[in-house]
Amino acid sequence: MRVITGKARGVQLKTPEGMLTRPTSDRVKEALFSIINFDVPGARVLDLFGGTGQLGIEALSRGADSAVFVDAREDACKLIRENLKRTKLEGQGRVVRSDYLDYLDHCREKFHIVFLDPPYAEVFLENSLKRITEIDILESGGIIITERPLGKELPFMIDGYTRSKDYKYGKTLLTLYRKA
């Protein structure tokens, strides 16, 4: 797993041992950043299920101003800090150890881009998408990017948001919601 382009291009990111974290494949990550390419420069990013931090780090490498990485596991938070240090982007990233819903309930920041790539087998994606659209943490025109497995459905209509088509890459689907 590596940073694809930008300031930290080519830097290998450290990956966790075991199966608790499922990093986004380089193919899906490259496709995702092609879709949002013009939204990244200057953006404030939330990587809500940080894992390795690769999505937020890729955004920072491509010109995002800052990123907040949230994960409930201490080992994941440590890994994100290590990857920020490896890429020399630690000054732009903040790592928060918290349950995703607790973080959202207490969040007072606004973001341009929110990455939602939670564990597939859980209802974290549905819950976080619902909560983010209920609270006011996304800038006007901001984007929520979801990654999910084939077969997991998401709402087509969310008040105040427009949904993109589903982008399919193997067994992975990407869907974007843009705030009006």
Side-chain angles (χ1 to χ4, degrees):
M1 186 174 59
R2 64 185 170 80
V3 178
I4 297 169
T5 196
K7 294 184 270 190
R9 179 183 180 167
V11 174
Q12 291 293 321
L13 299 177
K14 195 168 179 186
T15 57
E17 302 204 5
M19 298 299 291
L20 288 175
T21 301
R22 173 203 35 81
T24 299
S25 73
D26 279 354
R27 178 177 171 234
V28 172
K29 184 169 57 170
E30 199 160 348
L32 163 64
F33 280 94
S34 290
I35 297 165
I36 65 167
N37 188 41
F38 298 110
D39 296 291
V40 175
R44 285 184 310 282
V45 174
L46 173 60
D47 193 343
L48 191 57
F49 300 91
T52 62
Q54 73 162 325
L55 294 177
I57 288 171
E58 185 72 37
L60 290 173
S61 181
R62 291 172 182 246
D65 278 351
S66 63
V68 176
F69 301 85
V70 178
D71 206 292
R73 295 185 356 255
E74 181 55 41
D75 61 325
C77 291
K78 182 180 177 192
L79 185 61
I80 295 166
R81 285 185 198 97
E82 285 182 47
N83 283 332
L84 283 167
K85 191 171 185 176
R86 278 175 177 242
T87 56
K88 297 178 176 44
L89 296 168
E90 64 264 37
Q92 295 174 265
R94 183 166 51 95
V95 181
V96 178
R97 182 177 181 202
S98 176
D99 171 78
Y100 71 102
L101 287 177
D102 286 342
Y103 176 80
L104 291 174
D105 286 342
H106 296 96
C107 183
R108 300 295 174 256
E109 296 178 66
K110 288 207 176 227
F111 299 96
H112 297 101
I113 298 172
V114 176
F115 293 113
L116 300 179
D117 182 17
Y120 280 176
E122 306 295 335
V123 293
F124 299 160
L125 179 58
E126 297 88 332
N127 291 344
S128 58
L129 182 61
K130 181 178 187 295
R131 188 69 186 121
I132 289 168
T133 58
E134 292 171 347
I135 59 178
D136 191 25
I137 65 164
L138 204 61
E139 296 282 357
S140 180
I143 306 168
I144 302 169
I145 299 142
T146 67
E147 181 178 331
R148 68 189 196 282
L150 284 174
K152 183 172 252 198
E153 295 302 321
L154 291 177
F156 282 97
M157 302 286 288
I158 298 176
D159 260 358
Y161 291 81
T162 55
R163 179 182 162 159
S164 73
K165 67 177 185 165
D166 289 336
Y167 298 89
K168 183 179 175 225
Y169 303 95
K171 295 179 180 181
T172 301
L173 292 173
L174 296 175
T175 304
L176 283 65
Y177 291 88
R178 187 176 294 270
K179 186 174 180 182

